[in-house]
Every structure is written in structure tokens, then in C-alpha cells.
């Protein structure tokens, strides 16, 4: 009887070609990736207001389509691939204790303005039962127009403290 010994299949070294393929795929996905947006951790009451707000938010803001950031959450929303980012249920900003803090009003909703170094403006609602923060890219450095798109939804879903 002859035993037929099978030879193991010859392995083909694909190292460089596989590495190039993996790097190319990673390069494509990394260049399109936006940085993650921190998801707030509000109280249960504030989270309920934020969930209602999420459903009332507009599909477009200044012709920017809604494009929510990651991780996926009802507490965050975005438009224009990160040009406009909304977070609901954020903590009360310490800046609100500053008597020199600047505020603006957009269609009946009061917002406090902060201008973090190296980025666009950040606005946070005041006198609401949940704090809503809107961060704008530097393209909107001198433009609070996007706030008007949020005034109606905020007014309808996040009650005033007074």
C-alpha cells in the first residue's frame, strides 16, 4: 500500500500588497472621518427634553444637510460634516458666572457666546431646563445666523426655567 503524503500548499507571500491595500483603505476612511463628539451625560429630566429636541431638529441648516457625528446619540447632532454641531444636556458652562459674558438672542432663545481659542464660536442656551450647546466651524466666526434654525425646536422642546 502506498501512502500518499500530501504536501502542504505553498504559501504565497502577500505582505507588501496586503499592507498597501490596508493602508489605502485606512487612508480613505481616516481622511473622511470627523473627530468624535463627546456625548453629554445629563439628568433623566434633561435627557427627555434632549430626545424631544432631537426629533424636532431641522433636516438642513443654512443649506447644510444633517450629518450626525459619532458616536450615534440622540444628544448630539451635526450639519455639513461638522460645520455645525449641537449637543444637548451639556453641563452649565462656568462662563455663565462671568458678569462680562456675552449673550445673544435668536428668535426668543437666549444664548451665551464663548470663543474658544483656535476654533469657531460656541453658543449655549441660558434659562432652559437643559443646556443646549451649538458649536460652529470657523467659517461662521462672525455669524450667529445658524442659531435661528434652532430657536423654534429649542422653544418647543426644552422648557424655560422661568
Amino acid at each position: 500500500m502506498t501512502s500518499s503524503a500530501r504536501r502542504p500548499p505553498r504559501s504565497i507571500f502577500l505582505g507588501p500588497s496586503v499592507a498597501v491595500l490596508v493602508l489605502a483603505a485606512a487612508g480613505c476612511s481616516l481622511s473622511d472621518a470627523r473627530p468624535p463628539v463627546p456625548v453629554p451625560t445629563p439628568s433623566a429630566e434633561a435627557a427627555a427634553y434632549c430626545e424631544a429636541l432631537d426629533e424636532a431638529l431641522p433636516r438642513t441648516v443654512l443649506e447644510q444637510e444633517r450629518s450626525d457625528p459619532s458616536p450615534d446619540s440622540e444628544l448630539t447632532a451635526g450639519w455639513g460634516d461638522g460645520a455645525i454641531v449641537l449637543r444637548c444636556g451639556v453641563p452649565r458652562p462656568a462662563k455663565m458666572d462671568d458678569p462680562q459674558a456675552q449673550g445673544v438672542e435668536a428668535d426668543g432663545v437666549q444664548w451665551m457666546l464663548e470663543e474658544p481659542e483656535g476654533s469657531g464660536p460656541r453658543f449655549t442656551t441660558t434659562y432652559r431646563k437643559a443646556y443646549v450647546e451649538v458649536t460652529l466651524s470657523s467659517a461662521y466666526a462672525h455669524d450667529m445666523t445658524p442659531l435661528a434654525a434652532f430657536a423654534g425646536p429649542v422653544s418647543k422642546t426644552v422648557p424655560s426655567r422661568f
Side-chain angles (χ1 to χ4, degrees):
M1 224 172 180
T2 63
S3 72
S4 72
R6 286 188 134 177
R7 280 180 65 179
R10 224 158 105 191
S11 65
I12 301 173
F13 181 66
L14 295 176
S17 59
V18 170
V20 168
L21 182 61
V22 168
L23 287 174
C28 290
S29 64
L30 290 178
S31 64
D32 295 339
R34 296 179 302 253
V37 172
V39 176
T41 54
S43 68
E45 177 187 21
Y49 298 134
C50 294
E51 289 172 20
L53 174 61
D54 183 60
E55 296 203 10
L57 290 171
R59 185 89 193 117
T60 60
V61 175
L62 297 180
E63 300 180 10
Q64 301 283 336
E65 290 290 322
R66 185 161 173 179
S67 172
D68 289 348
S70 65
D72 188 34
S73 172
E74 292 177 325
L75 303 174
T76 61
W79 292 263
D81 292 331
I84 302 168
V85 175
L86 180 144
R87 297 186 325 136
C88 185
V90 298
R92 182 181 188 275
K95 181 88 173 169
M96 285 190 182
D97 293 331
D98 181 355
Q100 301 297 318
Q102 296 180 23
V104 297
E105 187 267 340
D107 292 340
V109 175
Q110 302 293 319
W111 301 84
M112 182 195 67
L113 167 64
E114 294 179 273
E115 298 181 83
E117 195 69 33
S119 64
R122 179 174 56 225
F123 297 90
T124 306
T125 57
T126 61
Y127 310 118
R128 297 276 161 186
K129 291 192 176 187
Y131 292 103
V132 178
E133 173 190 277
V134 174
T135 304
L136 307 175
S137 71
S138 56
Y140 297 100
H142 303 288
D143 186 3
M144 63 175 231
T145 308
L147 297 180
F150 304 118
V154 167
S155 292
K156 288 180 199 169
T157 60
V158 183
S160 174
R161 287 195 181 274
F162 302 106

